[in-house]
Amino acid sequence: MNDSHLDPRINRFREKIVKHDQLEDVLDHVIRLVTSPRPETVAALVGPSGVGKSTIIRAVQRHLCALHAERMERDPGFLPYLSFKATSPLDGNFSWGDFFTRALVKANEALVRKKFIPQMQVELDGSTVNSARGLIPQELRRSFESLIESRDVQVMIIEEASALLRIKKSGIPILQFEVLKSLAVQLRKPILLIGAYDLLGILDGGGQLLRRSDVVHFPRYKLDAGASLMTGAQGQAPQAFVNVLHTFLEAIPIEKEADLIQHADYFLARSVGCVGVLKDWLDRALVSVLSKPGAPVLTRAAIKEAALLNGTVLQLTEEAKAGEARLLQCSDDELARQLGLDSMPALDAPFPPQTTEEKEKPQKRGKSSKVGNRGPSRDAVRTASDPAPSTSA
């Protein structure tokens, strides 16, 4: 999109990127998964909308390009990664044909539009197939697999991956899980899925996919009742969020009303603790102020006017809380109960000490394990008057 018509002050603010305080940890985790993967890895980066997952993706892509820079220069056909978006289906059912087509187009694969069968009838293994439409996705998949192998794609990054789980009928999208599993097994290259909490539907897949899956959570900021930033407030913004808000306010290149930073809890609550939501909110306020005559000033009124509706904030909050609840692990006691144990074994638990009876119990001597070894017995002592032993054969 051409932004040349925009006020340069808007462009300067939109170019500002502020790091989430957990971004480095999440980024390091994702990079470890895609650069040192187990065979057949399917990893998922999940988090609420606007938390900063796109920033993670761009950083991972830059890291992969830097890591493979020498080979990229030596081999123009090599791809350190293939990144594309999965689109929501128009008819309610996810289309693998569209998925593979978009991947091939993203990689500039030649003759993508020629990968179809024009005849109404085709001969296949001696049999006539009257409907060839079902063969098109299979051909596209083979082309996709050939692309990954021939260009040695190191990582497949699928954005908006929640679309993979879109089906008309209610229930678990078993087919999608099976395709993901088979792709991971066939290609033996890591697949990185990016999406909101509904992507956690991957955890409903079969055990074979589940054991190959790694879920990385990118959390939002939350109100902290234990903080002391604003005395008397019921919920306090953590200092990390205060720093983010301060950086964004400083990046807005117009005059601002005083002491906005003192209301960090207001900004956190209405942005659901997501950096992207906060930035979009301030962006709308800036655009609104600059569109009005007179000297531009970012006022409290402009900020309130640009805030999300209460219903939208509530929906985003409920989605975030539901996703966070799904990521909670069951307790050791619950797991032990499900496994039929009194308690879960612990790796750092000491061995139980021996009882007094076990310590005093005499140990039985076993027989020598080697033939010809003498047992521990005392030999007879020969005196001078005893005859010498015979040496004859």
Side-chain angles (χ1 to χ4, degrees):
M1 177 180 177
N2 186 1
D3 295 334
S4 59
H5 65 286
L6 291 176
D7 189 306
R9 290 171 289 187
I10 297 177
N11 283 329
R12 287 203 300 272
F13 177 71
R14 290 179 179 177
E15 291 171 357
K16 186 66 178 178
I17 297 177
V18 180
K19 288 184 178 181
H20 191 290
D21 70 321
Q22 295 191 35
L23 185 142
E24 294 295 338
D25 292 338
V26 175
L27 177 60
D28 289 345
H29 192 172
V30 173
I31 287 176
R32 286 197 304 271
L33 288 175
V34 299
T35 56
S36 302
R38 303 186 313 276
E40 309 160 7
T41 292
V42 179
L45 173 62
V46 300
S49 177
V51 75
K53 298 186 293 294
S54 297
T55 302
I56 293 287
I57 297 171
R58 304 289 91 81
V60 170
Q61 293 171 347
R62 290 193 298 270
H63 177 87
L64 292 171
C65 287
L67 182 65
H68 300 286
E70 182 179 345
R71 183 177 177 185
M72 291 172 64
E73 184 176 356
R74 186 177 69 252
D75 180 7
F78 167 72
L79 287 177
Y81 65 86
L82 178 58
S83 180
F84 58 97
K85 291 183 179 180
T87 58
S88 295
L90 297 177
D91 63 353
N93 278 328
F94 180 75
S95 170
W96 283 104
D98 179 73
F99 174 88
F100 292 126
T101 298
R102 290 178 181 275
L104 294 169
V105 170
K106 190 71 174 181
N108 296 319
E109 182 73 357
L111 302 177
V112 173
R113 298 185 183 277
K114 298 296 183 181
K115 299 181 187 298
F116 66 92
I117 304 173
Q119 298 92 340
M120 292 303 295
Q121 291 186 341
V122 296
E123 293 292 332
L124 183 63
D125 296 332
S127 301
T128 300
V129 181
N130 292 318
S131 176
R133 291 188 60 186
L135 300 179
I136 297 175
Q138 298 298 332
E139 178 63 25
L140 290 169
R141 172 173 176 165
R142 283 190 287 270
S143 299
F144 175 78
E145 293 174 351
S146 176
L147 165 72
I148 300 300
E149 294 175 358
S150 63
R151 303 188 67 176
D152 197 17
V153 178
Q154 298 296 294
V155 184
M156 289 165 282
I157 302 175
I158 305 173
E159 303 180 47
E160 306 297 338
S162 303
L164 292 169
L165 310 182
R166 301 284 188 266
I167 56 174
K168 283 183 178 179
K169 298 179 180 179
S170 60
I172 300 174
I174 299 296
L175 174 61
Q176 277 83 334
F177 293 128
E178 291 299 320
V179 174
L180 277 178
K181 181 191 72 175
S182 64
L183 283 174
V185 172
Q186 176 72 22
L187 300 173
R188 299 184 66 83
K189 296 292 180 68
I191 300 174
L192 176 60
L193 308 175
I194 315 294
Y197 287 121
D198 50 357
L199 183 56
L200 289 175
I202 193 175
L203 299 179
D204 295 329
Q208 292 192 41
L209 177 62
L210 194 60
R211 72 178 181 85
R212 296 181 174 92
S213 303
D214 292 278
V215 176
V216 183
H217 183 211
F218 195 179
R220 62 192 174 106
Y221 291 107
K222 296 182 181 179
L223 291 172
D224 182 6
S228 58
L229 175 66
M230 294 155 286
T231 304
Q234 293 183 352
Q236 315 295 340
Q239 187 60 45
F241 181 83
V242 177
N243 295 339
V244 169
L245 176 61
H246 175 77
T247 304
F248 276 142
L249 291 174
E250 289 297 311
I252 296 177
I254 62 174
E255 185 180 347
K256 296 167 281 288
E257 285 190 356
D259 299 329
L260 290 175
I261 193 66
Q262 298 302 320
H263 300 281
D265 55 346
Y266 171 81
F267 287 96
L268 188 150
R270 302 196 71 86
S271 66
V272 201
C274 296
V275 175
V277 176
L278 173 65
K279 185 178 181 181
D280 290 343
W281 175 11
L282 294 175
D283 184 284
R284 292 192 299 271
L286 175 60
V287 171
S288 176
V289 169
L290 291 177
S291 66
K292 297 176 180 178
V297 179
L298 183 65
T299 63
R300 286 171 170 78
I303 292 173
K304 290 180 180 179
E305 182 181 355
L308 294 174
L309 298 176
N310 287 351
T312 303
V313 175
L314 180 60
Q315 180 177 349
L316 292 174
T317 302
E318 289 176 346
E319 290 176 358
K321 291 175 67 177
E324 292 161 354
R326 190 166 188 181
L327 284 168
L328 291 177
Q329 296 289 333
C330 67
S331 66
D332 284 351
D333 292 340
E334 173 63 17
L335 180 57
R337 188 179 69 81
Q338 294 294 335
L339 296 176
L341 302 173
D342 294 333
S343 62
M344 281 300 295
L347 185 62
D348 54 356
F351 286 107
Q354 287 184 321
T355 63
T356 305
E357 294 180 356
E358 290 175 334
K359 290 181 178 179
E360 295 178 351
K361 186 177 180 180
Q363 299 294 325
K364 294 183 178 180
R365 292 182 178 179
K367 296 182 178 179
S368 174
S369 59
K370 293 184 179 180
V371 178
N373 284 2
R374 300 178 60 195
S377 58
R378 182 182 294 275
D379 291 337
V381 179
R382 185 173 64 87
T383 62
S385 61
D386 294 334
S390 174
T391 58
S392 59

